[in-house]
Amino acid sequence: MIDGVVPEWRKSKAVPEVPIGLSSASVYPLSVHDAFACAADLGYDGVEVMVTNNSASQDPDALIHLSERYDQPIVSIHAPTLLLTQQVWGGAWTKVRRSCEMARIVGCDTVVVHPPFRWQSGYAEGFPIGIRDLSDEFEVHIAVENMYPWRVRGRETRAYLPHWDPVGQGYRDVTWDFSHAATAREDSLESLKALGDSLRHIHLTDGSGGSFRDEHLLPGQGTQRVAECLQFLADSAFDGVVVAEVSTRKAKAAGEREQMLAAVLDFAREHLGHVARPEWTAAEQRTR
């Protein structure tokens, strides 16, 4: 933790050694409210809030209300640094600063950010130092996420600065996303080993590796060695959070989205080596 600061949810809630959270992006196009409800129903350990155009995702008071109502701590804030959220919270540094402010208000210690786009040259030039300064100012981990090269007509184009791959960039904290790694055709296990102590946060998902798109498949449905990576984390000194960030947009039948997210939770628990408890069995949760 930054300078020994431990978020309140770590102190007040009994959580496994490696907690498993649910990203609000995993219930899209449903709301952040639905993410908290789903996480509680299935037995997740907390929620990562992706800040979007949804008003509740931008309102710390609303998020605290949802957290208390569903007894789901907020484990991380995902800053609105995606292409689809370019109009949220103004300029790039304002997005990061406001995300840090909200993290402190809601009681979590991790903020996820994407690296700058190449057209954000001014932001990109001071990005590594600026991220470190804000991290120190707010006493939060600002975990820079791995991305992937964009490909146009089969040729790679440089979309992110200083690079889409955080390995070797000197970041103090990193988020690793398995779907992004698949799109970049990287070996996640080797990258996790290379990141060492800078690995702070995990987006649990998968990808086929044969697509230029960011697929966010359920873990085990793609080509990444996700199970081995989770086992590696369980055996290491990793003290961050594993957050399910998968696409459930194709869910149509009643309960199908919940079944998908329950399957992700079961996968994570199995390969992180969590001790089985009746209240942790997602299959049983679905039959209550």
Side-chain angles (χ1 to χ4, degrees), residues 252-260 286:
K252 296 179 181 179
E256 187 176 358
R257 174 176 284 106
E258 289 75 12
Q259 290 175 1
M260 295 168 72
R286 297 196 294 271

Side-chain angles (χ1 to χ4, degrees), residues 162-180:
H163 202 276
W164 51 264
D165 186 355
V167 176
Q169 298 299 320
Y171 296 126
R172 189 157 57 191
D173 296 293
V174 168
T175 294
W176 193 261
D177 183 299
F178 292 106
S179 177
H180 297 174

Side-chain angles (χ1 to χ4, degrees), residues 265-281:
L265 182 57
D266 285 340
F267 183 98
R269 285 173 173 168
E270 176 185 355
H271 296 293
L272 285 170
H274 286 184
V275 177
R277 300 201 308 239
E279 65 270 29
W280 275 16
T281 305

Side-chain angles (χ1 to χ4, degrees), residues 22-30 34-35 38 42 44 205 215-219 221 244-253 255-264:
L22 177 66
S23 169
S24 59
S26 293
V27 302
Y28 180 85
L30 302 183
D34 295 291
C38 189
L42 296 176
Y44 277 86
T205 179
E215 299 168 296
H216 281 274
L217 304 176
L218 271 61
Q221 292 185 347
E245 191 185 84
V246 297
S247 174
T248 61
R249 286 176 289 181
K250 294 182 179 180
K252 296 179 181 179
E256 187 176 358
R257 174 176 284 106
E258 289 75 12
Q259 290 175 1
M260 295 168 72
L261 296 177
V264 178

Side-chain angles (χ1 to χ4, degrees), residues 189-251:
L189 184 56
E190 293 306 315
S191 294
L192 297 190
K193 292 177 180 178
L195 285 168
D197 293 341
S198 66
L199 181 63
R200 165 56 40 188
H201 201 66
I202 295 289
H203 279 167
L204 179 59
T205 179
D206 209 337
S208 68
S211 172
F212 296 158
R213 296 182 298 107
D214 182 15
E215 299 168 296
H216 281 274
L217 304 176
L218 271 61
Q221 292 185 347
T223 58
Q224 290 289 298
R225 294 191 283 169
V226 184
E228 291 178 63
C229 288
L230 294 184
Q231 292 161 13
F232 168 76
L233 295 178
D235 293 337
S236 71
F238 178 72
D239 65 350
V241 181
V242 170
V243 170
E245 191 185 84
V246 297
S247 174
T248 61
R249 286 176 289 181
K250 294 182 179 180

Side-chain angles (χ1 to χ4, degrees), residues 124-187:
E125 287 173 5
F127 182 71
I129 295 175
I131 288 296
R132 185 173 291 251
D133 288 347
L134 283 174
S135 176
D136 290 338
E137 178 182 347
F138 287 97
E139 295 186 314
V140 296
H141 299 280
I142 304 178
V144 182
E145 188 168 358
N146 64 308
M147 297 304 292
Y148 46 86
W150 291 6
R151 297 182 179 93
V152 179
R153 297 176 183 174
R155 298 181 62 183
E156 290 189 5
T157 181
R158 192 177 184 186
Y160 298 98
L161 294 176
H163 202 276
W164 51 264
D165 186 355
V167 176
Q169 298 299 320
Y171 296 126
R172 189 157 57 191
D173 296 293
V174 168
T175 294
W176 193 261
D177 183 299
F178 292 106
S179 177
H180 297 174
T183 305
R185 297 168 185 169
E186 289 194 296
D187 183 330

